[in-house]
Amino acid sequence: MRYLLFILLCFPDWAKAQTTFSAIERYCINCHDADAKKGGVNLDAILSEDIGKHAETWEAVVKQLNARHMPPIGKKRPDEQGYDELIATLTKELDAQPTQRIAGPTFRRLTRTDYQNAVRDLLAVEFDAKAAFPTDEISHGFDNVTVGDLPPALLDRYIAAAQKIARQAVGTSTEPEITAVRVRPDITQEYHVPGLPLGTRGGVLVKQVFAQSGEYEVQVRLQRDRNEQVEGMNGQHQLQILLDREVKGEFTVQPAKDKNYEKIDAHLKARFHVPGGQHDLGVTFLPNGSPVLERLRQPYKSSYNLHRHPRLSPAVYQVTITGPLKAEGAGDTPSRRLIFGEGKTDAAAILKPILRRAWRREVTEADLERLMPFVREAASLEKGIESALAALLVSREFLFRTEEKGDDAALASKLAFFLWSSLPDDELLSQHPLDVEAQARSMLRDPRSRSLVTNFADQWLYLRNLEAITPDARLFPDFDHNLRESLRTETSLLLTDVIQNDRSVLALLRTDRTWLDERLAAHYGIPHVHGSRFREVKLTPEWQRGGLLRQGSIQTVTSYATRTSPVIRGHWILKNLLATEPPPPNVPALDGVISESLPIRERLAKHREMAACASCHNLMDPVGFALENYDAIGRWRAEADARGGFADGSEFDGVAGLEEALLKRPELFVTALTEKLLVYALGRGLEASDRPTVRKIVRRAKANDWKFSEIIVGIVTSPVFAGDEGKRMGAKE
């Protein structure tokens, strides 16, 4: 006994390790030995071996213990203190292991978003890459992971895009071009459009760069139904064509007496002079009072469907811009100011700063010489610059990101594409050595950091899926694209507020503020919000709004077209907010397997009785039920049964109970967010050797009130981000 006491006193870590192994044997081995081997895991075989040899398995054990998924309910489980001690011992050992270098992607093509933002920042050209290029493949939840190839068909599109962008940037072409802008048919045009003058109704605002000064023709076509009849023709209406809010054409739209509907909008055509540069072209109607259809209940907010809620007034379908018809020379555009500056006439002086930013490194004379033949062989300097820019935009150095270990320029590029989804600016490229932390904090305050919302968060939270979701019009007749965009904007503004004001990321889970316009406020039943402008609104508890779990965008992307889905919602919460996604291999659909006459809670209970379904659905369903007070498009319904729970046996009621449960252990949510950000930043999936980095970042955030900036700084200053995993991160605090 004296020898045992001597060992315990002299080697406390050894004693603690024996306690850990004892806990594993007591709670885990019955299911995870050589005989049972549940989930394909045999812990008995690796207990006596070095933990570093089986880091992937032990990291999976830590994740299950953190989530309290294991041991399952019904089996012997440790108390909370036991869980914490076991996790602390395992993570300490795992964090002390030597780092294994992960071969991440060092040669990646720009995604559509990267390309579009890079063109905007490099040449001040607003280019629609979504329309020009195919969708990037998704892997690990993001589209910047598997973009290493360049198929010939895509190369052809890049060449065509480069020529178009260069032509627009330099503005030397005098040949008339036709630009057609279409308005979605599911947009209600009975209200004011942001950016157009107050007091107008519907229409569209087009932000257009006119490369040449001269005359342009603008033609308007109105929305038609399936019978090619102009919708909403119930009298005379006044339509205006505006350039920077100045009326350039005013027309009367009225029904055709001979039922020739082509005559109704054939005259909606104006030709006028436009100075070269960027302008706001607007097409809109003057309101004719406030028409209301006679109905037994309050009229729908949506008016775009012929059969269920027809348009009350005509609506714009397409705006066609043709020109220049009489070119007068290149205008004073943002692109020309950026390219030619104060009247530069030396080709090398013009191209060198652009080339430096495009290729994200210092350029040599040899680099510059690759572009100079395009200038020398051209008829004029401007034509030569146009050709050189087109060649630059299809160069491998522009289209592909190459990241070299220890190179400041490569690290600056990686930082810029992470935080801005775009090129590094001159300040980033010029700093040697690069102060990564200071630059990251400065970049988060820059408006370009909004790409973390429009690119990262849209993928993390599935907001991109809103575009493809169309709830059943018979069950949800008041859903239109206006509402879809308002739902998305509310969530985007919450994320923008957290990022740019450097708030605690826990505000994403619970907050007493949100951002609403009149359309969304009416959808939520919140009074006294009028107009198309989004504004911050202080919430009261009875409105049942606030964090992500209470927002209609999340409720909509986690529902079917006809009903809510506790399964999808539960899976979304586990995967995106808790990083404990259960694997769903070839799961049979609920519809058609269980009687559809049963209430959803009973149908899912039957589903869980199937052995193949129970292991996953026991985790997902109780969590998803907590959101049942929200219907398939995010409206509140107080009568729903919203009792829920977690796999550890804890129970809660409704979204408030779920939020409270999540906030009791905030490390789980912050770990999930950190993992998503790290995947997005590295452009690869995470390995077991990345987990110590994640834990250190989470500890850093906890010590700094969970601020968003601390997570970002923790990521960009980590060895895995810099590509220098030889430095030990996580071994010491």
Side-chain angles (χ1 to χ4, degrees):
M1 176 63 71
R2 283 180 294 174
Y3 291 113
L4 177 61
L5 289 173
F6 175 78
I7 291 173
L8 292 175
L9 290 171
C10 296
F11 303 100
D13 288 344
W14 179 89
K16 194 168 186 179
Q18 298 310 302
T19 304
T20 300
F21 294 145
S22 175
I24 295 291
E25 291 176 339
R26 184 181 314 123
Y27 298 115
C28 306
I29 296 302
N30 284 343
C31 294
H32 298 290
D33 58 7
D35 295 328
K37 205 175 180 179
K38 289 191 175 180
V41 178
N42 180 5
L43 296 180
D44 194 19
I46 64 174
L47 269 178
S48 59
E49 298 186 18
D50 179 29
I51 195 171
K53 293 182 179 179
H54 306 280
E56 187 172 349
T57 299
W58 289 114
E59 288 289 357
V61 170
V62 169
K63 177 168 280 195
Q64 293 294 322
L65 293 174
N66 261 323
R68 307 298 192 259
H69 286 175
M70 293 294 165
I73 296 296
K75 301 286 186 178
K76 184 183 295 184
R77 295 163 61 95
D79 57 18
E80 281 300 304
Q81 182 179 351
Y83 267 114
D84 291 341
E85 290 177 353
L86 181 54
I87 292 168
T89 304
L90 287 173
T91 54
K92 183 178 180 180
E93 288 293 318
L94 289 166
D95 291 350
Q97 298 302 309
T99 302
Q100 296 180 359
R101 180 170 175 79
I102 304 298
T106 58
F107 190 71
R108 278 185 288 168
R109 176 170 47 81
L110 302 187
T111 66
R112 293 193 307 181
T113 302
D114 294 339
Y115 186 96
Q116 180 170 307
N117 291 345
V119 167
R120 176 201 66 199
D121 294 339
L122 183 67
L123 297 174
V125 172
E126 295 293 339
F127 176 73
D128 188 359
K130 183 178 179 181
F133 306 135
T135 305
D136 296 309
E137 183 181 349
I138 300 292
S139 179
H140 297 283
F142 299 99
D143 63 7
N144 65 339
V145 176
T146 55
V147 284
D149 60 346
L150 184 58
L154 182 56
L155 179 58
D156 288 341
R157 295 196 182 193
Y158 275 131
I159 293 172
Q163 292 171 340
K164 180 178 180 180
I165 293 166
R167 187 167 57 249
Q168 183 175 337
V170 178
T172 57
S173 175
T174 59
E175 293 297 319
E177 294 186 358
I178 299 176
T179 303
V181 179
R182 288 185 177 176
V183 182
R184 290 178 58 122
D186 58 348
I187 291 181
T188 297
Q189 296 190 39
E190 304 299 334
Y191 311 104
H192 173 254
V193 173
L196 290 175
L198 294 175
T200 59
R201 174 195 67 77
V204 62
L205 179 67
V206 181
K207 293 186 178 297
Q208 180 77 359
V209 174
F210 296 85
Q212 286 269 331
S213 298
E215 290 190 356
Y216 289 80
E217 183 177 271
V218 177
Q219 184 167 11
V220 181
R221 186 168 172 82
L222 303 178
Q223 293 276 2
R224 284 163 166 75
D225 61 25
R226 65 183 65 176
N227 299 317
E228 286 300 310
Q229 297 181 6
V230 176
E231 298 177 342
M233 286 308 304
N234 54 2
Q236 289 189 353
H237 299 270
Q238 297 299 119
L239 179 141
Q240 291 183 339
I241 297 176
L242 310 168
L243 185 71
D244 298 330
R245 297 196 168 211
E246 180 183 348
V247 178
K248 294 295 184 179
E250 187 163 4
F251 310 89
T252 299
V253 178
Q254 57 190 357
K257 296 180 180 178
D258 56 0
K259 295 187 178 180
N260 184 347
Y261 293 97
E262 291 302 315
K263 292 182 179 180
I264 293 179
D265 55 6
H267 66 296
L268 304 181
K269 185 185 301 183
R271 180 168 172 170
F272 49 89
H273 182 271
V274 181
Q278 185 169 342
H279 299 279
D280 289 342
L281 179 68
V283 178
T284 188
F285 290 91
L286 299 179
N288 290 344
S290 300
V292 177
L293 296 182
E294 292 292 337
R295 291 183 175 134
L296 296 177
R297 58 182 181 180
Q298 183 179 356
Y300 292 127
K301 291 288 184 181
S302 58
S303 298
Y304 71 92
N305 184 288
L306 174 65
H307 299 289
R308 294 189 178 89
H309 30 81
R311 294 191 186 275
L312 307 180
S313 308
V316 174
Y317 165 65
Q318 178 174 288
V319 178
T320 305
I321 307 166
T322 305
L325 301 177
K326 289 184 179 180
E328 299 174 356
D332 182 24
T333 65
S335 298
R336 287 185 62 85
R337 289 196 296 271
L338 189 151
I339 296 169
F340 297 103
E342 299 296 328
K344 290 181 184 176
T345 57
D346 179 63
I350 292 170
L351 291 173
K352 191 170 183 177
I354 298 174
L355 191 60
R356 178 173 179 263
R357 287 203 61 198
W359 288 0
R360 286 90 72 183
R361 61 173 174 79
E362 296 299 330
V363 296
T364 64
E365 291 301 319
D367 293 327
L368 198 58
E369 188 56 33
R370 286 170 54 185
L371 296 179
M372 292 307 293
F374 294 98
V375 179
R376 298 189 190 109
E377 296 170 9
S380 66
L381 173 66
E382 293 190 346
K383 282 291 185 182
I385 296 298
E386 179 183 318
S387 298
L389 291 179
L392 182 154
L393 293 176
V394 292
S395 63
R396 65 180 182 274
E397 292 90 343
F398 177 74
L399 290 178
F400 286 88
R401 294 167 53 192
T402 55
E403 295 160 359
E404 299 178 10
K405 176 182 174 182
D407 182 75
D408 277 343
L411 186 56
S413 176
K414 195 172 185 179
L415 191 62
F417 280 106
F418 172 34
L419 299 181
W420 291 344
S421 297
S422 186
L423 309 171
D425 58 16
D426 288 330
E427 181 181 350
L428 265 177
L429 288 173
S430 301
Q431 191 174 69
H432 302 289
L434 182 65
D435 188 339
V436 176
E437 178 173 346
Q439 287 295 330
R441 293 187 185 279
S442 174
M443 292 169 72
L444 285 174
R445 295 189 293 270
D446 190 285
R448 284 171 288 186
S449 68
R450 197 172 184 277
S451 70
L452 285 171
V453 175
T454 58
N455 199 16
F456 164 73
D458 274 12
Q459 295 183 78
W460 167 43
L461 301 175
Y462 303 172
L463 295 184
R464 285 186 178 181
N465 296 358
L466 270 174
E467 198 72 20
I469 290 178
T470 304
D472 190 300
R474 293 167 297 181
L475 299 175
F476 307 102
D478 212 16
F479 190 94
D480 56 9
H481 188 66
N482 309 59
L483 180 58
R484 182 186 285 115
E485 285 299 296
S486 291
L487 291 170
R488 184 172 186 165
T489 301
E490 177 194 22
T491 305
S492 296
L493 288 173
L494 170 62
L495 289 155
T496 300
D497 180 65
V498 169
I499 293 171
Q500 296 199 339
N501 293 313
D502 197 17
R503 302 190 191 279
S504 165
V505 295
L506 301 185
L508 297 174
L509 295 179
R510 176 180 287 174
T511 179
D512 61 354
R513 303 173 302 134
T514 195
W515 287 260
L516 303 173
D517 64 352
E518 182 176 354
R519 182 74 177 86
L520 188 54
H523 181 68
Y524 287 164
I526 295 177
H528 312 308
V529 177
H530 303 286
S532 59
R533 179 182 62 86
F534 270 83
R535 77 292 312 266
E536 184 179 322
V537 175
K538 183 78 171 178
L539 298 170
T540 59
E542 64 268 19
W543 291 338
Q544 300 295 338
R545 300 295 161 180
L548 292 175
L549 293 171
R550 298 172 183 259
Q551 297 197 342
S553 61
I554 305 302
Q555 312 301 340
T556 303
V557 298
T558 55
S559 296
Y560 291 118
T562 57
R563 61 171 175 84
T564 62
S565 173
V567 178
I568 296 177
R569 289 178 174 179
H571 183 269
W572 184 92
I573 292 168
L574 293 176
K575 179 179 180 179
N576 294 297
L577 303 188
L578 296 174
T580 56
E581 175 188 14
N586 301 322
V587 177
L590 180 61
D591 297 328
V593 178
I594 308 296
S595 172
E596 296 185 18
S597 63
L598 294 174
I600 187 64
R601 189 176 284 271
E602 294 181 30
R603 293 170 69 191
L604 286 171
K606 292 284 186 183
H607 205 55
R608 291 194 296 274
E609 291 176 4
M610 303 177 187
C613 307
S615 61
C616 291
H617 281 269
N618 284 338
L619 302 178
M620 298 185 296
D621 297 359
V623 181
F625 275 123
L627 303 184
E628 274 298 280
N629 284 124
Y630 298 96
D631 71 6
I633 58 173
R635 294 177 302 193
W636 177 259
R637 48 185 188 183
E639 72 282 358
D641 185 355
R643 290 169 295 139
F646 281 133
D648 61 359
S650 60
E651 296 180 348
F652 42 78
D653 191 6
V655 65
L658 174 57
E659 289 173 342
E660 191 65 36
L662 293 174
L663 290 170
K664 281 183 179 178
R665 299 182 63 209
E667 291 89 351
L668 292 179
F669 169 67
V670 180
T671 296
L673 175 57
T674 301
E675 288 183 1
K676 295 292 183 181
L677 280 164
L678 197 55
V679 169
Y680 178 75
L682 300 179
R684 62 169 174 83
L686 300 187
E687 304 288 345
S689 59
D690 296 315
R691 304 298 170 181
T693 297
V694 172
R695 285 190 285 270
K696 182 167 185 179
I697 294 169
V698 171
R699 288 193 290 270
R700 177 192 181 113
K702 182 178 182 179
N704 291 277
D705 300 322
W706 306 112
K707 287 186 176 181
F708 182 82
S709 65
E710 297 304 323
I711 298 176
I712 295 297
V713 169
I715 289 173
V716 301
T717 57
S718 68
V720 294
F721 184 83
D724 187 14
E725 287 88 346
K727 296 179 181 178
R728 184 58 243 148
M729 179 179 186
K732 296 180 180 180
E733 289 297 321

